[in-house]
Amino acid sequence: MPLVQEKIVIDYGFRQLYLPLDCDEEPRVNILVSPNALTTTGKVLVLLQGSGDIRAGMWSRQLVLNNSIREGSMIPYIERARNEGYEVVICNPNLNEGKFEESDDPDDEPALFPIPENDSPRNHLMYVWNHVLMKAPCSEVYIMAHSFGGQTSFHLIAEARPDDFQRLKRIAFSDSTHQLHMFRNKLNQQKRDWIARNTLNFVVSALPVGQRLHFTLVEGCCVVSAGTLHHQSTTNCAIDTAFRFFSGEFVPESQDMDGDGEGL
């Protein structure tokens, strides 16, 4: 188990859940869930990293290696979520293939196979949503998505059924790579309105964290400062304002409209 994941399991009581759920054979992908994430009737926070060689529990591999585990990991969000009454589900969207078994021959190149129903970040999140979160009794789901995780989250919104929005309340992005036109054929006006009301993108800026920059039709949501000039640091720099956004305490000017996480 990678060091960051081991720390989350040992220090915070998380457990590994292997996907697909009905499969006991490799290849599989692990996600991390807090002790009561699958049984709570309350709030669940989903943590979704960007693309590349970044596994569950990390926002930035570079920050973990060069600065500290705390600066580059999801641990600050885990602690804050626990203090504010959220259970947590940590996705693992970049682990999309694996091998069936280890070879005894060190010269053998292991053959990699797609992980069923989790063979892309998009399909991984959809699987977590449909088979983990929607099977659990939680009443509210919030998502914190970094970089490419924002684009992955938009796939979820595009594919979501009307009933899903009874639970999906708000999504905070940090320097998201999404653009609305990528999903123009899948987002009806109701979903576009939901995005405008219930999502927020924290982007690289030297301005104070949370200061409104603009509302853009390109992204479909309000854009505010993350209070840092470093892409990798945007998520943890935005933590205070992100949780205030989830709770409804922080509402940017362009989102000050009727509706507070309401469904479609």
Side-chain angles (χ1 to χ4, degrees):
M1 187 189 306
L3 177 62
V4 172
Q5 293 182 26
E6 183 177 0
K7 184 173 180 63
I8 291 171
V9 168
I10 293 174
D11 293 354
Y12 299 94
F14 278 58
R15 67 183 180 93
Q16 298 186 87
L17 191 66
Y18 286 91
L19 311 180
L21 292 172
D22 56 354
C23 180
D24 293 326
E25 297 180 352
E26 300 297 340
R28 298 182 296 170
V29 58
N30 68 318
I31 64 173
L32 301 177
V33 297
S34 60
N36 299 311
L38 305 184
T39 58
T40 183
T41 57
K43 304 178 293 186
V44 171
L45 175 63
V46 177
L47 301 180
L48 183 65
Q49 65 269 45
S51 61
D53 189 21
I54 307 172
R55 298 295 182 244
M58 290 194 295
W59 296 122
S60 168
R61 187 170 181 268
Q62 179 182 349
L63 287 178
V64 168
L65 293 175
N66 297 336
N67 293 37
S68 69
I69 288 179
R70 189 168 188 84
E71 285 187 58
S73 78
M74 298 175 177
I75 286 174
Y77 274 80
I78 292 169
E79 293 176 347
R80 184 66 172 266
R82 182 170 62 179
N83 290 338
E84 298 202 10
Y86 296 81
E87 295 295 326
V88 179
V89 170
I90 300 177
C91 295
N92 205 359
N94 301 318
L95 185 56
N96 308 127
E97 57 185 10
K99 48 197 174 188
F100 281 112
E101 58 184 17
E102 297 283 352
S103 171
D104 294 330
D105 187 343
D107 295 326
D108 280 353
E109 287 290 335
L112 297 178
F113 299 88
I115 297 174
E117 300 182 81
N118 290 267
D119 56 348
S120 68
R122 168 187 177 177
N123 289 341
H124 174 72
L125 181 59
M126 290 305 303
Y127 189 92
V128 170
W129 180 264
N130 288 321
H131 296 275
V132 179
L133 294 165
M134 291 301 98
K135 301 295 185 183
C138 57
S139 57
E140 300 179 10
V141 179
Y142 301 83
I143 299 176
M144 185 72 219
H146 176 59
S147 193
F148 188 77
Q151 190 169 321
T152 305
S153 299
F154 258 72
H155 282 291
L156 171 61
I157 297 171
E159 299 294 335
R161 302 169 294 268
D163 286 351
D164 292 337
F165 292 95
Q166 298 301 316
R167 295 208 222 179
L168 182 58
K169 297 301 182 182
R170 286 197 166 109
I171 304 176
F173 306 113
S174 56
D175 231 15
S176 173
T177 61
H178 76 268
Q179 293 187 357
L180 207 58
H181 72 83
M182 299 173 179
F183 307 92
R184 61 181 177 272
N185 295 327
K186 292 190 174 182
L187 294 174
N188 59 29
Q189 190 58 50
Q190 286 181 308
K191 289 185 176 182
R192 289 171 183 261
D193 291 344
W194 187 93
I195 291 166
R197 285 198 308 267
N198 300 301
T199 71
L200 184 66
N201 193 13
F202 294 90
V203 302
V204 167
S205 171
L207 293 173
V209 62
Q211 183 163 326
R212 181 177 179 270
L213 301 178
H214 54 270
F215 184 96
T216 170
L217 294 177
V218 174
E219 297 174 60
C221 64
C222 190
V223 177
V224 301
S225 172
T228 179
L229 295 176
H230 302 286
H231 169 74
Q232 298 93 333
S233 300
T234 50
T235 316
N236 278 339
C237 285
I239 185 169
D240 291 337
T241 309
F243 274 92
R244 289 177 57 222
F245 173 65
F246 292 148
S247 69
E249 296 175 30
F250 179 79
V251 182
E253 179 183 339
S254 65
Q255 290 177 304
D256 191 8
M257 59 181 75
D258 291 337
D260 55 348
E262 296 174 350
L264 296 185

